[in-house]
Amino acid sequence: MTLIQRLEIYLNRVYLAKLARDPAALGFFLSVSADAEANGEGKVFERTQVWLEERGHAKLAKIVATHAADEVRHERMMLDDLRRLGREPDAVPEELKVIDHLAARSGNVFDRPVESAADVAKAYLLLYAVERRAMERFGFMIEALEPVHPEIAATFATVAKDERTHLHYCVAVSRAAMPDDAAWTALRDEMVALEVEEFTSNSRRFMWHLLDRVFETMSVPEKLFWKTSRSLADLLGRKMDVLPVGGADELPSGRISSRNVLAA
């Protein structure tokens, strides 16, 4: 681990500890996370499942259905936590819906019809990148929440465990669609790089929104510190790569198929 990574991990921990102790900020984080679980990633599942079933790939279709059901369950868990806090879900501004922005930048891969194995591979490798980021973010949140909201920390621990499984679902489906090792690895790396770029941009918007409109307990000097530190990182061109938290930096491969089993 590099010195810069250690510093980034430390700053993430300090910032998210502040968020976990602020009712409005925590409520907003839960609202955004719940929205992403159900309304972001969820868009691709139905189309892919139908496409697979129509071509007789029942095992892969079942993986997709399980993944989709998990995301709905995660949304419900997070909304239940919100209600236990005595809060209703916040409306999530369109500019903060990172998965929607990712999908648009990848050619609307989650919204357009699934017509080929290549469409399946691209969608599931974008999901792969999203799941890695979720593992990292939720890993930080578990640490931040355990001292003050252990029941919500338990929710995120459950979700993070599922996301690790989902990472392997994404590998299984995308490998089946794109069995060539070099092509799969290149597309995986392209989607991971795209996610890093979009998360870097979105995280700045997200932080500014929290600092300017949501935080109730953070002082003005503290807000100035966080804005200054983030602006400095932006000035230096620092990209927010996935940090080595909870295994999120791992890039698992999958068993390489001898043929494209999704070929029509």
Side-chain angles (χ1 to χ4, degrees):
M1 189 186 305
T2 69
L3 182 61
I4 292 296
Q5 284 179 319
R6 291 180 187 275
L7 177 61
E8 289 177 335
I9 289 172
Y10 171 76
L11 290 173
N12 268 281
R13 285 173 172 158
V14 173
Y15 179 75
L16 291 174
K18 297 282 186 182
L19 185 151
R21 288 166 170 79
D22 187 290
L26 177 56
F28 188 75
F29 184 89
L30 283 165
S31 297
V32 171
S33 298
D35 180 79
E37 293 290 329
N39 301 316
E41 301 172 26
K43 294 179 180 179
V44 72
F45 297 125
E46 183 177 354
R47 293 184 182 91
T48 303
Q49 184 180 348
V50 169
W51 193 88
L52 290 169
E53 288 172 344
E54 287 176 347
R55 286 155 180 79
H57 304 301
K59 186 175 181 179
L60 289 171
K62 185 177 179 180
I63 288 175
V64 173
T66 300
H67 193 168
D70 284 348
E71 302 299 357
V72 173
R73 177 169 52 86
H74 296 167
E75 179 200 27
R76 185 170 62 250
M77 292 166 67
M78 292 173 183
L79 293 178
D80 286 346
D81 284 336
L82 259 176
R83 294 185 184 99
R84 278 192 287 270
L85 290 173
R87 306 190 69 89
E88 292 297 321
D90 293 290
V92 181
E94 292 297 323
E95 63 269 19
L96 299 183
K97 294 187 176 183
V98 62
I99 296 177
D100 288 355
H101 294 301
L102 270 173
R105 291 183 63 176
S106 65
N108 293 313
V109 67
F110 289 168
D111 292 320
R112 72 189 186 202
V114 176
E115 298 177 340
S116 67
D119 290 338
V120 173
K122 189 171 186 179
Y124 265 77
L125 284 172
L126 185 58
L127 281 176
Y128 173 102
V130 169
E131 301 290 5
R132 290 178 68 240
R133 181 67 66 179
M135 287 171 60
E136 178 214 52
R137 291 291 97 189
F138 295 164
F140 278 124
M141 284 305 298
I142 293 165
E143 293 179 11
L145 287 163
E146 280 179 339
V148 287
H149 295 291
E151 71 288 352
I152 303 179
T155 291
F156 279 102
T158 297
V159 174
K161 182 179 178 181
D162 288 345
E163 303 296 18
R164 178 178 289 277
T165 301
H166 295 169
L167 197 65
H168 291 281
Y169 289 170
C170 292
V171 169
V173 174
S174 62
R175 278 288 197 184
M178 187 173 282
D180 181 80
D181 187 54
W184 184 89
T185 301
L187 185 57
R188 179 201 68 184
D189 292 348
E190 179 187 344
M191 294 298 99
V192 167
L194 178 64
E195 190 279 336
V196 169
E197 288 183 12
E198 182 55 39
F199 184 81
T200 299
S201 299
N202 188 76
S203 65
R204 187 182 194 279
R205 296 191 295 269
F206 189 78
M207 176 179 279
W208 255 243
H209 184 90
L210 282 172
L211 294 175
D212 289 341
R213 304 182 187 182
V214 180
F215 266 110
E216 295 176 337
T217 62
M218 187 179 286
S219 68
V220 172
E222 286 178 302
K223 291 179 180 179
L224 180 61
F225 168 79
W226 289 112
K227 285 189 174 184
T228 301
S229 63
R230 180 54 199 263
S231 295
L232 179 60
D234 292 341
L235 184 64
L236 295 174
R238 183 67 183 169
K239 297 290 185 183
M240 297 190 69
D241 293 304
V242 167
L243 293 166
V245 175
D249 58 319
E250 298 170 7
L251 288 172
S253 60
R255 182 179 61 80
I256 303 176
S257 302
S258 60
R259 62 188 178 87
N260 186 337
V261 300
L262 301 191

